[in-house]
Amino acid sequence: MLAEIRVPTADRMRELGRRLAGLLRAGDLLVLTGPLGAGKTTLVQGIGDGLGVRGPVTSPTFVIARVHPSKLSSGPALVHADAYRLGSRAEVDDLDLDADLDNSVTVVEWGEGLVEDLAPSYLEVKIAMAPAATSSGVLDEPRTVRLAGRGPRWEAAASRPSLTVNGGSEAP
């Protein structure tokens, strides 16, 4: 595990995304998991802000995937996908997410078990909600975000202190 971070509010979830964006580069794949209302899209909004992409980052649940080009000519685009309604790897293959992978940071919500083989390495992001938040669905209740790198890209990053935020206990 690279980090386990307590995130108390939606604003802090976005800030965590902005900080995480500073570690990302074109070709990176992130697989986000967590229950409905956990803050997956909020985290991706922060990543998009940190990467400097165009357009508002919103949930792609009904369009399945959105591409947000970089405002900067040298920065990677953000491919934001939602696999919630996909039932198989074949349906993921139909999206051709791997076509943009080399030039983009690709983030897939609900992608666990479906997209890990798109790249030799990926960052697993699991968001857990506090028991009280599960019933209320309010984002301004504490979350725990666990980051785990898989594959060679993240082996070297595992020892980087920049992945922990405020000592790994709470996001800024």
Short mmCIF file of all heavy atoms in Angstrom, two decimals, residues 38-62:
data_model
loop_
_atom_site.label_atom_id
_atom_site.label_comp_id
_atom_site.label_asym_id
_atom_site.label_seq_id
_atom_site.Cartn_x
_atom_site.Cartn_y
_atom_site.Cartn_z
N ALA A 38 -19.42 7.75 -2.38
CA ALA A 38 -18.17 7.72 -1.62
C ALA A 38 -17.26 8.90 -1.93
O ALA A 38 -16.44 9.28 -1.11
CB ALA A 38 -17.42 6.41 -1.86
N GLY A 39 -17.38 9.47 -3.12
CA GLY A 39 -16.53 10.59 -3.50
C GLY A 39 -15.59 10.30 -4.66
O GLY A 39 -14.63 11.03 -4.88
N LYS A 40 -15.89 9.26 -5.43
CA LYS A 40 -15.03 8.91 -6.57
C LYS A 40 -14.95 10.05 -7.58
O LYS A 40 -13.87 10.48 -7.97
CB LYS A 40 -15.52 7.62 -7.22
CG LYS A 40 -15.42 6.39 -6.32
CD LYS A 40 -15.95 5.12 -6.98
CE LYS A 40 -17.43 5.13 -7.24
NZ LYS A 40 -18.29 5.18 -6.06
N THR A 41 -16.10 10.56 -7.99
CA THR A 41 -16.12 11.64 -8.97
C THR A 41 -15.51 12.91 -8.38
O THR A 41 -14.81 13.65 -9.08
CB THR A 41 -17.55 11.90 -9.48
OG1 THR A 41 -18.03 10.70 -10.12
CG2 THR A 41 -17.60 13.04 -10.48
N THR A 42 -15.73 13.17 -7.12
CA THR A 42 -15.13 14.33 -6.46
C THR A 42 -13.61 14.24 -6.50
O THR A 42 -12.93 15.24 -6.79
CB THR A 42 -15.63 14.43 -5.01
OG1 THR A 42 -17.07 14.49 -5.02
CG2 THR A 42 -15.08 15.66 -4.31
N LEU A 43 -13.07 13.06 -6.26
CA LEU A 43 -11.62 12.86 -6.36
C LEU A 43 -11.15 13.12 -7.79
O LEU A 43 -10.13 13.80 -8.00
CB LEU A 43 -11.25 11.44 -5.93
CG LEU A 43 -9.76 11.11 -5.99
CD1 LEU A 43 -8.98 11.87 -4.92
CD2 LEU A 43 -9.54 9.61 -5.83
N VAL A 44 -11.89 12.64 -8.78
CA VAL A 44 -11.50 12.83 -10.18
C VAL A 44 -11.58 14.31 -10.56
O VAL A 44 -10.78 14.80 -11.36
CB VAL A 44 -12.35 11.95 -11.13
CG1 VAL A 44 -11.93 12.17 -12.58
CG2 VAL A 44 -12.23 10.49 -10.76
N GLN A 45 -12.52 15.06 -9.98
CA GLN A 45 -12.57 16.50 -10.22
C GLN A 45 -11.27 17.16 -9.78
O GLN A 45 -10.73 18.01 -10.47
CB GLN A 45 -13.76 17.12 -9.48
CG GLN A 45 -15.09 16.76 -10.09
CD GLN A 45 -16.28 17.14 -9.22
OE1 GLN A 45 -16.16 17.42 -8.03
NE2 GLN A 45 -17.45 17.15 -9.83
N GLY A 46 -10.76 16.74 -8.63
CA GLY A 46 -9.49 17.27 -8.16
C GLY A 46 -8.33 16.86 -9.06
O GLY A 46 -7.44 17.67 -9.34
N ILE A 47 -8.35 15.63 -9.53
CA ILE A 47 -7.31 15.16 -10.45
C ILE A 47 -7.35 16.00 -11.72
O ILE A 47 -6.32 16.47 -12.21
CB ILE A 47 -7.47 13.66 -10.77
CG1 ILE A 47 -7.15 12.81 -9.52
CG2 ILE A 47 -6.57 13.25 -11.94
CD1 ILE A 47 -7.50 11.34 -9.66
N GLY A 48 -8.54 16.22 -12.26
CA GLY A 48 -8.68 17.04 -13.47
C GLY A 48 -8.17 18.45 -13.26
O GLY A 48 -7.47 19.01 -14.11
N ASP A 49 -8.48 19.03 -12.11
CA ASP A 49 -8.00 20.37 -11.79
C ASP A 49 -6.48 20.37 -11.70
O ASP A 49 -5.81 21.25 -12.23
CB ASP A 49 -8.63 20.84 -10.47
CG ASP A 49 -8.32 22.28 -10.16
OD1 ASP A 49 -8.37 23.13 -11.09
OD2 ASP A 49 -8.05 22.58 -8.98
N GLY A 50 -5.93 19.37 -11.03
CA GLY A 50 -4.48 19.27 -10.88
C GLY A 50 -3.76 19.04 -12.20
O GLY A 50 -2.64 19.51 -12.39
N LEU A 51 -4.39 18.33 -13.11
CA LEU A 51 -3.80 18.09 -14.43
C LEU A 51 -3.98 19.29 -15.36
O LEU A 51 -3.33 19.38 -16.39
CB LEU A 51 -4.41 16.85 -15.09
CG LEU A 51 -4.07 15.51 -14.47
CD1 LEU A 51 -4.88 14.39 -15.17
CD2 LEU A 51 -2.58 15.21 -14.55
N GLY A 52 -4.91 20.19 -15.00
CA GLY A 52 -5.17 21.35 -15.85
C GLY A 52 -5.93 20.99 -17.11
O GLY A 52 -5.58 21.43 -18.20
N VAL A 53 -7.00 20.19 -16.96
CA VAL A 53 -7.77 19.80 -18.14
C VAL A 53 -8.94 20.75 -18.36
O VAL A 53 -9.37 21.47 -17.46
CB VAL A 53 -8.27 18.34 -18.03
CG1 VAL A 53 -7.11 17.38 -17.92
CG2 VAL A 53 -9.25 18.15 -16.89
N ARG A 54 -9.46 20.71 -19.58
CA ARG A 54 -10.59 21.57 -19.96
C ARG A 54 -11.91 20.94 -19.58
O ARG A 54 -12.05 19.72 -19.55
CB ARG A 54 -10.57 21.82 -21.47
CG ARG A 54 -9.46 22.73 -21.90
CD ARG A 54 -9.59 23.07 -23.35
NE ARG A 54 -8.91 22.00 -24.10
CZ ARG A 54 -8.99 21.84 -25.40
NH1 ARG A 54 -9.73 22.62 -26.12
NH2 ARG A 54 -8.33 20.87 -25.99
N GLY A 55 -12.87 21.80 -19.37
CA GLY A 55 -14.24 21.36 -19.13
C GLY A 55 -14.47 20.90 -17.71
O GLY A 55 -13.55 20.49 -17.03
N PRO A 56 -15.72 20.97 -17.28
CA PRO A 56 -16.04 20.47 -15.94
C PRO A 56 -15.98 18.95 -15.92
O PRO A 56 -16.42 18.28 -16.85
CB PRO A 56 -17.46 20.98 -15.69
CG PRO A 56 -18.04 21.14 -17.07
CD PRO A 56 -16.88 21.51 -17.96
N VAL A 57 -15.41 18.40 -14.87
CA VAL A 57 -15.35 16.95 -14.70
C VAL A 57 -16.61 16.54 -13.95
O VAL A 57 -16.81 16.93 -12.81
CB VAL A 57 -14.07 16.52 -13.95
CG1 VAL A 57 -14.10 15.03 -13.65
CG2 VAL A 57 -12.83 16.88 -14.74
N THR A 58 -17.47 15.80 -14.63
CA THR A 58 -18.71 15.32 -14.03
C THR A 58 -18.77 13.81 -14.20
O THR A 58 -18.02 13.23 -14.98
CB THR A 58 -19.95 15.97 -14.69
OG1 THR A 58 -19.94 15.66 -16.09
CG2 THR A 58 -19.95 17.48 -14.50
N SER A 59 -19.69 13.20 -13.50
CA SER A 59 -19.81 11.74 -13.57
C SER A 59 -20.15 11.30 -14.99
O SER A 59 -21.10 11.80 -15.58
CB SER A 59 -20.89 11.26 -12.61
OG SER A 59 -21.06 9.86 -12.75
N PRO A 60 -19.40 10.34 -15.52
CA PRO A 60 -19.70 9.84 -16.87
C PRO A 60 -20.63 8.63 -16.86
O PRO A 60 -20.62 7.83 -17.79
CB PRO A 60 -18.31 9.48 -17.40
CG PRO A 60 -17.58 9.03 -16.18
CD PRO A 60 -18.10 9.88 -15.04
N THR A 61 -21.43 8.46 -15.82
CA THR A 61 -22.25 7.27 -15.67
C THR A 61 -23.08 6.97 -16.91
O THR A 61 -23.14 5.83 -17.36
CB THR A 61 -23.20 7.40 -14.45
OG1 THR A 61 -22.40 7.54 -13.29
CG2 THR A 61 -24.08 6.19 -14.31
N PHE A 62 -23.71 7.97 -17.51
CA PHE A 62 -24.62 7.71 -18.62
C PHE A 62 -23.94 7.76 -19.98
O PHE A 62 -24.45 7.19 -20.94
CB PHE A 62 -25.82 8.66 -18.55
CG PHE A 62 -26.62 8.43 -17.31
CD1 PHE A 62 -26.54 9.30 -16.24
CD2 PHE A 62 -27.40 7.29 -17.18
CE1 PHE A 62 -27.25 9.06 -15.07
CE2 PHE A 62 -28.11 7.04 -16.01
CZ PHE A 62 -28.04 7.93 -14.95
#
